[in-house]
Amino acid sequence: GNPKPGDLIEIKRGHDAHWALYVGDGYVIHATPVDEGVASLAAESETSLTMKVKVMKELLKEVAGKDNWHVNNKYDHCRTPFPVEEIIRRAESEIGKVMPYRLLNKNCEHFVTKLRYGEAVSEQVS
């Protein structure tokens, strides 16, 4: 089915999933890695690569490319999403921001779930 504004979009990339938030007119807002050359390993971090991600508004078809995607509002059963207008407003206020990407606490699924539900949730991290 067609996504509705505020929907979470899961894009399958091999074994990984990339997450985006649908905002309407074919566009999504998502956190995408910024190429900083070599990922810097901070001495105090054991394994977490510190990369930067930038929040972008782009066409879903360009973000997904040839990858399959589907709407997956998977936490709706246990969390109440914000009203759509609020989700979009929150998402658009993030556009252009650059933030650290840490798989454990700042992954792209956390980013979109925080926009939809007001708190970051992810099953990627136990």
Side-chain angles (χ1 to χ4, degrees):
N2 289 329
K4 297 184 295 296
D7 280 346
L8 302 186
I9 306 290
E10 183 179 11
I11 301 162
K12 289 288 188 203
R13 293 192 175 154
H15 292 298
D16 293 321
H18 183 67
W19 290 82
L21 179 93
Y22 190 76
V23 292
D25 297 324
Y27 282 91
V28 294
I29 290 175
H30 67 126
T32 187
V34 179
D35 186 19
E36 300 263 304
V38 183
S40 58
L41 265 176
E44 69 270 13
S45 72
E46 293 141 71
T47 52
S48 72
L49 286 170
T50 306
M51 270 172 21
K52 295 262 193 293
V53 293
K54 185 172 186 182
V55 180
M56 310 271 283
K57 181 176 180 177
E58 298 181 284
L59 284 167
L60 173 57
K61 64 171 189 269
E62 289 175 11
V63 176
K66 295 188 170 67
D67 297 319
N68 288 324
W69 61 268
H70 64 280
V71 172
N72 188 358
N73 296 320
K74 62 183 184 179
Y75 299 110
D76 281 12
H77 63 94
C78 59
R79 287 186 170 76
T80 307
F82 284 118
V84 170
E85 297 77 21
E86 176 74 1
I87 297 173
I88 305 301
R89 188 186 64 72
R90 291 162 61 87
E92 298 206 315
S93 73
E94 299 287 332
I95 294 172
K97 287 188 184 172
V98 175
M99 53 190 94
Y101 177 105
R102 295 187 197 85
L103 189 63
L104 290 181
N105 59 5
K106 294 263 194 263
N107 65 36
C108 54
E109 184 180 351
H110 277 146
F111 174 70
V112 297
T113 52
K114 195 161 176 26
L115 295 176
R116 184 170 173 85
Y117 306 109
E119 61 183 308
V121 274
S122 173
E123 292 171 334
Q124 290 176 13
V125 180
S126 52

